[in-house]
Amino acid sequence: MLIASALAACSGSDKAPQAKAPTAAAQLAAAKVKFDAATSMHMTLSSSSIPASVNGVLAADGTGTKAPAFKGTLDVRLSGVGVKVGVVAVDKLLYAKLPFTTEFTQLDPKTYNAPDPAQLFATEGGISSLMTATTNPVEGKEIRVGSEILQTITGTLPGSSVVRLLNIGDATKTFNVTYGITVPGGELRTVTVIGPFYPGATSTSATSTYVLTLDKYGAPVEISKP
């Protein structure tokens, strides 16, 4: 009996303590490190509940680098008309090929309620800045998106952080944010921000939604002034 008890005690003491699962904040911090280390990535943007009277970016598709720089297309509403615009953003300047033109023209993105798309990829003040600005992050469900499993993390963002990044929104309010982080891999894959981007977004709510999807981390890409 004594020997058996001693063996049981020894066996129990040999078991290594189980590591605690990382907190939601720790997962965001790790995903930020991966985002900031990536030299480039592909981005798509979609939106919903945007007021019909608003001029602005409704969707986007392109590639960004940590220069920072961006090249791709923006779906923009101008005076109630939707147009697709080819853009290149480099050296803190935005160039756009407007409909019915063959040359790129330098534009101020603030004129169109739009961010400088290149700055979304900046290590300082870019998309990843939202992760450190998020308050009360909470781990949600794992979801499947295509072939990937994403761990969702929800939280809130101060309006000032959203406006600083996107050039739109009410800086005095808060926004809801949901992140999707790949499992395994720990890459930030999706960012969904809901809040008062524009007054009167719908007849029942003053909120609009923007969804960023990020993939192809580190894919070769060259972006230069047009």
Side-chain angles (χ1 to χ4, degrees):
M1 179 74 70
L2 183 61
I3 294 175
S5 299
L7 289 175
C10 290
S11 176
S13 63
D14 288 342
K15 291 182 179 179
Q18 292 185 347
K20 292 183 178 179
T23 65
Q27 292 178 67
L28 289 179
K32 183 181 188 303
V33 170
K34 283 183 176 289
F35 180 98
D36 291 340
T39 55
S40 67
M41 62 186 63
H42 172 248
M43 178 197 80
T44 60
L45 172 72
S46 62
S47 64
S48 59
S49 298
I50 308 299
S53 60
V54 166
N55 288 335
V57 175
L58 305 180
D61 191 325
T63 301
T65 73
K66 294 300 170 59
F70 175 84
K71 66 177 180 181
T73 59
L74 304 180
D75 291 351
V76 182
R77 183 190 291 144
L78 299 174
S79 301
V81 178
V83 296
K84 188 177 290 290
V85 179
V87 298
V88 175
V90 64
D91 296 332
K92 297 184 179 181
L93 298 174
L94 176 65
Y95 303 90
K97 186 180 291 186
L98 300 174
F100 311 111
T101 64
T102 58
E103 302 293 332
F104 281 91
T105 302
Q106 186 177 327
L107 299 176
D108 181 355
K110 291 183 179 180
T111 303
Y112 302 97
N113 287 327
D116 176 349
Q119 292 305 308
L120 298 176
F121 300 92
T123 302
E124 297 294 332
I127 294 169
S128 66
S129 69
L130 296 181
M131 289 188 274
T132 51
T134 300
T135 58
N136 301 317
V138 176
E139 185 176 282
K141 296 180 179 179
E142 289 188 356
I143 61 174
R144 177 175 290 278
V145 178
S147 61
E148 293 185 313
I149 300 297
L150 304 183
Q151 172 63 60
T152 60
I153 294 175
T154 61
T156 58
L157 288 167
S160 56
S161 297
V162 174
V163 174
R164 188 161 48 246
L165 179 66
L166 300 178
N167 283 334
I168 52 174
D170 187 338
T172 67
K173 300 296 174 66
T174 59
F175 291 69
N176 294 323
V177 61
T178 301
Y179 302 97
I181 299 174
T182 60
V183 180
E187 290 184 352
L188 177 65
R189 185 66 77 237
T190 60
V191 184
T192 302
V193 184
I194 303 173
F197 286 101
Y198 310 100
T202 70
S203 59
T204 59
S205 172
T207 63
S208 302
T209 300
Y210 282 96
V211 181
L212 284 166
T213 301
L214 306 156
D215 58 14
K216 300 180 182 178
Y217 280 42
V221 59
E222 293 184 8
I223 302 175
S224 58
K225 178 181 174 180

